[in-house]
Amino acid sequence: QVQLVESGGGLVQAGGSLRLSCAASGRTFSDYAMGWFRQDPGKEREFVAQISWSGGNTYYADSVKGRFTISRDNAKNTVYLQMNNLKPEDTAVYYCAANIRGTWRSGGQGTQVTVSS
């Protein structure tokens, strides 16, 4: 079982930046890939970014490519999402997830990101 706690969300103007953090516990953090997802009310949860267990490989949704950067610190059991040049359409609750045996598992409360125009 893995426990995930997201933080770092907030209200920001368009063009601004935020850095999200996700602290993990309960399993060996460095064993698995991590990802960020987001969900706006009334919409399905969508993939944002993922990073391999070592941090050597990353992958992004087209909508955030070039603006967001995912990273991890295995010594701190934490994954980050640096979000720059935020747009109103980035407004959502952001969740982190661990890829355990091919399945994304979240479970945290998420952190709200609101971008005003």
Side-chain angles (χ1 to χ4, degrees):
Q1 196 75 357
V2 59
Q3 290 79 45
L4 303 169
V5 178
E6 302 94 342
S7 62
L11 173 63
V12 64
Q13 288 188 332
S17 299
L18 284 173
R19 188 195 194 203
L20 306 184
S21 299
C22 172
S25 62
R27 292 178 68 102
T28 305
F29 179 73
S30 59
D31 280 352
Y32 39 86
M34 295 292 295
W36 285 95
F37 295 77
R38 65 188 182 187
Q39 187 168 19
D40 213 9
K43 297 183 180 179
E44 291 189 0
R45 188 171 295 194
E46 66 171 338
F47 168 81
V48 175
Q50 71 179 71
I51 187 167
S52 61
W53 66 271
S54 67
N57 292 293
T58 57
Y59 184 74
Y60 298 91
D62 287 343
S63 58
V64 307
K65 202 173 294 183
R67 300 188 297 121
F68 291 10
T69 303
I70 188 171
S71 62
R72 67 190 296 163
D73 185 338
N74 286 345
K76 295 183 178 179
N77 286 0
T78 303
V79 62
Y80 305 96
L81 186 68
Q82 177 67 43
M83 306 186 296
N84 297 329
N85 191 22
L86 283 159
K87 304 176 180 180
E89 51 264 42
D90 294 319
T91 295
V93 178
Y94 284 70
Y95 301 89
C96 68
N99 191 302
I100 300 174
R101 290 190 290 274
T103 300
W104 288 106
R105 301 188 184 277
S106 57
Q109 296 299 308
T111 186
Q112 175 71 48
V113 171
T114 303
V115 184
S116 62
S117 57

